[in-house]
Amino acid sequence: MIAAPVRHVFESRGALAAALAQAVAGVLSKAIARRGEGFLAVSGGTTPGLFFAALSDQPIDWEKVTVTLVDERFVPPSSGRSNAGLVTSTLLRGRAQAARFVPLYAEAGSVEEAAALTAGALAGLPWPLDATVLGMGTDGHTASFFPDATNLPALLAPQVPRAILPVHADSAGEPRLTLTLARLVDTGFLALHVEGAEKKAVLDRALDGASALPIRAVFDAAKGPVEVYWAA
Ligand code: 6PG
């Protein structure tokens, strides 16, 4: 039995972005007050643009915030498909420019080598996360937990020492790097940001248990209610 998600429904995507940014900023501020720093993992893709713009403007002590990614495509930051490129150009500006960004991508001959290199950088970060903001694809993937990932059970394992794993999935376009489910749900604030009717229908099916989509594993593993942010 999963904890019922908390659903936040908005009239517009702009209103959603503003509310989610405020919620995340509040969580980070509390973490800074409690332990001197805040640690946030965000998703890439097309959905978070407005949210990143709103978050970058939040008046918090960004110098004490570390930002990393939930997942990354195995492409250099200069690529239009790079999630690091997106975060750099849309989130790490204005007030948020002062934050520390730790990318998942590393230049290497293979995604396996890159994962090993990045694992070293991640080891020094202030785990657990204070806030995780996930997205979702219409195939029910989140982070890089693609339904056809060759190592899906390892990515979704409830306990795994690794923070980051390489991913190969035909549907993903290119190899990926992803934080593991266990790391992503070990967080003070777990949000799922989805927009549009098609994604809502996918999410509802996953929550009904009508389909065993990777997104369902997030709800099964979450330590508390998942905060679902949705707008048409
Ligand atoms: C990525 C993401 C991924 C994303 C979903 C939704 O790198 O692609 O981190 O998990 O959240 O694919 O993507 P859209 O927002 O583009 O629909």
Side-chain angles (χ1 to χ4, degrees), residues 29-57:
S29 281
K30 277 193 193 136
I32 293 167
R34 193 182 72 249
R35 62 165 174 152
E37 59 185 321
F39 187 18
L40 165 70
V42 293
S43 296
T46 54
T47 305
L50 284 177
F51 161 59
F52 286 165
L55 184 58
S56 70
D57 212 25

Side-chain angles (χ1 to χ4, degrees), residues 102-122:
V102 179
L104 301 187
Y105 174 82
E107 205 179 319
S110 70
V111 71
E112 283 74 20
E113 278 174 47
L117 287 170
T118 301
L122 294 179

Side-chain angles (χ1 to χ4, degrees), residues 91-138:
L91 172 58
L92 302 173
R93 44 198 284 247
R95 291 178 157 131
Q97 216 169 4
R100 167 172 67 150
F101 177 58
V102 179
L104 301 187
Y105 174 82
E107 205 179 319
S110 70
V111 71
E112 283 74 20
E113 278 174 47
L117 287 170
T118 301
L122 294 179
L125 300 188
W127 303 96
L129 287 159
D130 295 301
T132 303
V133 183
L134 296 171
M136 186 189 81
T138 49

Side-chain angles (χ1 to χ4, degrees), residues 203-222:
L203 181 59
D204 287 345
R205 266 194 296 133
L207 290 174
D208 286 351
S211 59
L213 297 172
I215 188 65
R216 170 67 193 227
V218 171
F219 290 84
D220 289 337

